[in-house]
Amino acid sequence: MEVSKIVTVKNLEKSYDNKKAVKGISFEVYGGEILGFLGPNGAGKSTTINILATVLKNDGGEVNILGHDLKKEAKLIKRGIGIVPQDLAIYEEIEAEENVSFFASLYGFRGKDLKDRVKEALELVGLYDRRGDKPKTFSGGMKRRLNIACAIAHNPKLIIMDEPTVGIDPQSRNHILESIKTLRERGATIIYSTHYMEEVEAISDRIIIMNEGKIIAEGTKEELKKKVDDEITYSFALDKPNKFEDKSLYEVDGVTKVVLQDGEANITTKKSKDNFNEIISKITQSGCRIESMKSIEASLETVFLELTGKSLRD
Ligand code: ADP
C-alpha cells in the first residue's frame, strides 16, 4: 500500500541573528502516524515546529504540507492544520465552550455543525462537563486540555503540538496522551514535540531525534533501540568522579562510549566481549572507588547518550 506523505521537509534552515537554530534538516511525515519529535531543550524542535505551523519563516529549504508549498500557499496550509502552541491561546474570562466555539467558527463552522464540533472537541479532552466554566477557574492541566480542544475542533488533517504536557499534573498528562491516540484513530496525523522520552515511547509510531539543530536519528522505537541492542551500558557511581579519566577505558576491547555525568561513569560496551573485570580494574586504577553499579538496557535514553554523549534530562 502506498503511504501518503503529509509533510515533506527538505534542507530546512533557520537562524536567529547569527545563530543557526536549524541546520538543514530533511524529513517526511506519513498519513495517520504520530511522529514524536524528541530532543533536549535548545535542540531546535520549537523552531522547526513553528515553521511547519506557518508562524515562523524559514531562511532556507522547502516545505510541503498537505500538498501545498509553504512559501506560496501558507493560507491553505493553515486551514488544514491544527496548532497546539506551547503558550496558552485561550481566553480566561469566557466559558470553555465559548472558547472552543470561537476558534472553530474561524474555520467557517456555523449552527449545528459548530455545536457538534465543539461538543466532540470538549469530550475528547474530558472537559465537556466543565463546558460552562471559565478557564480562570481551571488547573494548569485543564487549561492545556482546553487549548488542545480549541486547536482541533475544526477537524484538521494534521495536528502540530509543541510540548503540550510541560509542567502539568500526571492525570492531565495521561489525558492528553490518550487524546492524541484517539485523534490518530480518527484519522489525523500528529507531530508532537517533547523532551520527555517516556511519552515518545508510549505514543509515537515513529521518532525523530534532534540535537543542536540537526536530526541525529530517525525510526521506529524498535529500529532506534536496535542500534544499541548489541551493547550494554554500565553506570558506576564513583566516590571521586574528578579522578576518573575515560582514556584508559577506551583501551578496553569492546568499549564504545564513556560518559561521565552527575558523578557517574556510563560505560557502553559490546555485549559479546568478556571485559567486565577489565573495566572495573581500569576504573579503580584511576583512583576512584565504585560505590554502586547498575546496568542500563537499551532504551531511547541510551540511544541518545550513545549518539550525543549527553543525557536527555535537563
Ligand atoms: P527546542 O524547542 O528544542 O528547545 P528551540 O527551537 O526553541 O529549541 O531553540 C533552538 C535554538 O535557537 C536555541 O539555541 C535557542 O536559544 C535559539 N532560539 C530560539 N528562539 C529564539 C529567538 N526568538 N531568538 C533568538 N534565539 C532563539
Side-chain angles (χ1 to χ4, degrees), residues 252-307:
V252 179
D253 188 25
V255 169
T256 56
K257 192 116 206 160
V258 182
V259 178
L260 184 69
Q261 188 171 337
D262 304 332
E264 289 180 357
N266 297 294
I267 296 161
T268 304
T269 173
K270 296 253 181 288
K271 279 182 187 164
S272 55
K273 303 285 175 185
D274 187 14
N275 57 10
F276 188 69
N277 289 336
E278 202 184 339
I279 289 172
I280 301 284
S281 62
K282 291 280 186 196
I283 292 174
T284 46
Q285 273 162 25
S286 69
C288 301
R289 210 162 47 83
I290 295 167
E291 295 188 320
S292 65
M293 195 276 290
K294 58 181 189 281
S295 59
I296 309 167
E297 283 298 325
S299 68
L300 291 180
E301 175 82 46
T302 40
V303 175
F304 196 79
L305 196 67
E306 171 84 354
L307 290 166

Side-chain angles (χ1 to χ4, degrees), residues 16-17 19 21 39-48 86 162-163:
Y16 298 104
D17 303 319
K19 194 175 176 297
N41 283 326
K45 305 183 298 294
S46 288
T47 302
T48 305
Q86 229 178 71
D162 194 1
E163 308 230 17

Side-chain angles (χ1 to χ4, degrees), residues 115-161:
K115 263 203 135 93
D116 291 347
R117 304 269 10 102
V118 172
K119 181 165 187 260
E120 198 179 300
L122 283 168
E123 278 174 348
L124 176 83
V125 299
L127 286 177
Y128 190 65
D129 293 343
R130 302 290 304 268
R131 63 187 178 281
D133 296 338
K134 292 177 180 169
K136 66 176 180 184
T137 66
F138 286 1
S139 70
M142 288 163 73
K143 285 181 191 175
R144 289 219 158 256
R145 278 148 59 189
L146 180 60
N147 207 37
I148 292 174
C150 290
I152 57 94
H154 62 290
N155 249 352
K157 288 201 181 82
L158 173 67
I159 300 163
I160 300 175
M161 299 183 162

Side-chain angles (χ1 to χ4, degrees), residues 60-229:
E62 283 164 41
V63 179
N64 188 291
I65 298 176
L66 301 169
H68 304 294
D69 183 272
L70 179 64
K71 242 183 246 138
K72 298 180 200 137
E73 300 177 313
K75 268 205 183 120
L76 285 174
I77 291 174
K78 222 173 218 169
R79 294 199 70 80
I81 65 177
I83 305 158
V84 182
Q86 229 178 71
D87 301 322
L88 294 172
I90 53 175
Y91 299 98
E92 298 270 342
E93 296 288 345
I94 65 171
E95 292 172 10
E97 191 170 31
E98 293 295 312
N99 262 286
V100 183
S101 188
F102 168 72
F103 284 100
S105 69
L106 296 180
Y107 293 88
F109 288 99
R110 298 284 179 270
K112 183 173 182 306
D113 275 354
L114 179 62
K115 263 203 135 93
D116 291 347
R117 304 269 10 102
V118 172
K119 181 165 187 260
E120 198 179 300
L122 283 168
E123 278 174 348
L124 176 83
V125 299
L127 286 177
Y128 190 65
D129 293 343
R130 302 290 304 268
R131 63 187 178 281
D133 296 338
K134 292 177 180 169
K136 66 176 180 184
T137 66
F138 286 1
S139 70
M142 288 163 73
K143 285 181 191 175
R144 289 219 158 256
R145 278 148 59 189
L146 180 60
N147 207 37
I148 292 174
C150 290
I152 57 94
H154 62 290
N155 249 352
K157 288 201 181 82
L158 173 67
I159 300 163
I160 300 175
M161 299 183 162
D162 194 1
E163 308 230 17
T165 59
V166 165
I168 61 172
D169 60 282
Q171 198 199 342
S172 280
R173 187 179 182 187
N174 286 339
H175 214 119
I176 289 175
L177 297 180
E178 286 307 313
S179 307
I180 294 174
K181 286 200 273 186
T182 306
L183 287 164
R184 174 186 57 189
E185 277 155 29
R186 290 180 188 169
T189 303
I190 295 130
I191 304 175
Y192 169 69
S193 97
T194 183
H195 62 277
Y196 299 125
M197 204 157 11
E198 60 282 12
E199 287 189 356
V200 162
E201 291 217 57
I203 66 165
S204 301
D205 299 304
R206 216 156 52 84
I207 299 161
I208 285 180
I209 304 183
M210 270 192 94
N211 189 42
E212 296 179 1
K214 291 189 194 139
I215 291 174
I216 55 169
E218 186 177 348
T220 62
K221 228 174 3 199
E222 292 72 25
E223 284 166 349
L224 291 176
K225 280 186 187 169
K226 221 179 255 160
K227 283 184 197 279
V228 289
D229 230 13

